[in-house]
Amino acid sequence: MVEPAQAPVMTDVARLAGVSHQTVSRVVNGSPHVSETTRARVLAAMEELGYRRNAVARALATRRSGALGVITFDTVLYGPVSTLYSIEQAASTVGMGVSIAVVERISYEAVERALGRLQDQSVEGVVALAAQLDAVDVLTAKLRPVPTVFVGGLLGGGSAGEIAPVPAIGIDQRGGAARATRHLLELGHRTVHHVAGPADWLDARWRVEGWHSALTDAAAPVTTPEAGDWSARSGFAAMQRLLASDPGLTAVFAANDHMALGALRALDEAGRRVPEDVSLVGFDDVPEAEFFRPPLTTVRQHFPEAGRRAVRLLLDIIRPDEAVRFGPEANSDLVPTDLVLRRSTGPA
């Protein structure tokens, strides 16, 4: 009978990497007190041996689970999915795992059950993806005793000290929307119409505010937005309503790229060329945006940076004695956006 091979242990990794057992332990636990050269050598040895840390033994020794929890209400839309992936990647960089609890509906009971699932896994802290105002209220009430960082719409156009009742990281929705609107005005368009997101979404509210402020600052006419639900189908219907109310419109800012895709279809069916007759800007820069016809000018959100900042902020709360480094320090809770110019916009 062939004896099963024993799983490699930390001393095996140390021997292969030519370092001490303590150095391997520091790498496994994400300590910053290891040179990058040594860390790379240890990680290569772990990969070669197929070493996997024993999470139970580590938790008993350090009284830390090495796990972060994430509570999210929606994992289907591009923004929440990208944010979730970025958080997982940032946590992995410092050797931490992520446990995810998806809440099907916004209620105190549902959040309490989700939090219970995460606490059963002994997470050290929670990152909450709160895109809707009701979700923020429920999460703030239920997560107050737990180290928590919010990511998403809570901050979308101001600093944490001005707006967020809890530690939070946001992407500059307001600034991105204003920049998109100014771009269209600078091309000579008299005004810019808006296909907005759902009114209960914080990101949608920030984008409306940015659009409105850019028009006001330029003394341009402010029209009434047409709202969608983030889907291409709703963007198609909203664009049809805009064309019915103002057949001579020349510029539209859509609150996300999927609604912009629907708007493109509506414009095509109405015989309006983009950008010759109507210029169109989206928001998100989904991977498909550059393959729209024409390629879509849009606002790019930097989800990896938001995830990195969120994990660092949470670790600063739960492990204040450890200096966790992800690269250059950020000087703001608000991650900037970029305007990506493509062929869907042109002179009036």
Side-chain angles (χ1 to χ4, degrees):
M1 180 178 178
V2 178
E3 292 292 328
Q6 288 188 335
V9 296
M10 203 173 287
T11 51
D12 298 323
V13 177
R15 188 180 304 111
L16 180 60
V19 298
S20 68
H21 177 279
Q22 290 80 5
T23 297
V24 176
S25 178
R26 292 190 190 100
V27 172
V28 168
N29 292 316
S31 170
H33 306 299
V34 181
S35 72
E36 289 306 313
T37 302
T38 300
R39 187 186 306 276
R41 195 160 71 246
V42 170
L43 291 174
M46 290 168 62
E47 181 70 23
E48 182 176 337
L49 293 171
Y51 171 81
R52 295 292 181 269
R53 67 179 181 180
N54 186 322
V56 174
R58 178 179 181 274
L60 290 172
T62 64
R63 296 186 179 181
R64 292 171 173 170
S65 67
L68 303 179
V70 177
I71 290 182
T72 179
F73 287 90
D74 196 332
T75 56
V76 177
L77 296 171
Y78 177 73
V81 168
S82 299
T83 304
L84 188 60
Y85 176 76
S86 299
I87 291 167
E88 195 280 331
Q89 291 294 102
S92 177
T93 300
V94 291
M96 300 196 75
V98 171
S99 296
I100 302 167
V102 179
V103 180
E104 296 81 8
R105 57 186 178 84
I106 300 173
S107 72
Y108 290 96
E109 295 76 15
V111 170
E112 193 162 27
R113 287 194 298 271
L115 179 59
R117 294 197 300 272
L118 294 177
Q119 288 176 322
D120 287 345
Q121 298 174 64
S122 302
V123 299
E124 298 183 42
V126 172
V127 179
L129 276 59
Q132 293 149 290
L133 189 57
D134 289 349
V136 171
D137 294 338
V138 172
L139 288 167
T140 301
K142 285 297 179 183
L143 296 178
R144 194 172 298 278
V146 181
T148 303
V149 169
F150 281 65
V151 180
L154 195 61
L155 288 180
S159 68
E162 296 172 348
I163 297 165
V166 293
I169 296 295
I171 294 177
D172 190 7
Q173 311 291 334
R174 186 181 188 276
R179 188 172 179 184
T181 306
R182 285 196 302 270
H183 167 64
L184 292 167
L185 293 172
E186 288 164 0
L187 287 171
H189 296 279
R190 186 178 71 89
T191 190
V192 178
H193 291 68
H194 185 39
V195 176
D200 60 333
W201 280 66
L202 291 161
D203 286 350
R205 295 185 183 190
W206 284 117
R207 292 171 199 177
V208 168
E209 187 173 316
W211 162 80
H212 189 280
S213 67
L215 291 178
T216 303
D217 291 346
V222 179
T223 59
T224 301
E226 289 289 347
D229 62 8
W230 301 126
S231 69
R233 182 180 299 275
S234 72
F236 176 83
M239 190 70 247
Q240 287 183 316
R241 294 193 297 272
L242 285 176
L243 287 169
S245 64
D246 184 1
L249 64 79
T250 65
V252 178
F253 164 50
N256 81 334
D257 291 347
H258 289 102
M259 291 194 298
L261 177 61
L264 279 171
R265 171 70 179 271
L267 289 166
D268 180 66
E269 290 193 2
R272 306 295 298 277
R273 299 169 300 165
V274 177
E276 292 85 356
D277 301 321
V278 178
S279 286
L280 180 67
V281 178
F283 203 107
D284 280 342
D285 194 27
V286 298
E288 300 85 4
E290 64 178 309
F291 299 102
F292 288 6
R293 186 174 183 182
L296 185 67
T297 293
T298 185
V299 178
R300 176 179 295 161
Q301 301 192 71
H302 294 286
F303 296 110
E305 177 64 12
R308 184 180 72 85
R309 292 192 193 184
V311 171
R312 182 173 59 200
L313 179 57
L314 184 57
L315 291 178
D316 284 345
I317 296 169
I318 63 179
R319 299 184 179 184
D321 55 323
E322 295 182 12
V324 179
R325 294 286 175 260
F326 287 88
E329 292 293 317
N331 57 11
S332 169
D333 302 301
L334 207 56
V335 178
T337 57
D338 292 326
L339 182 64
V340 181
L341 299 178
R342 297 193 180 103
R343 297 204 302 272
S344 67
T345 54

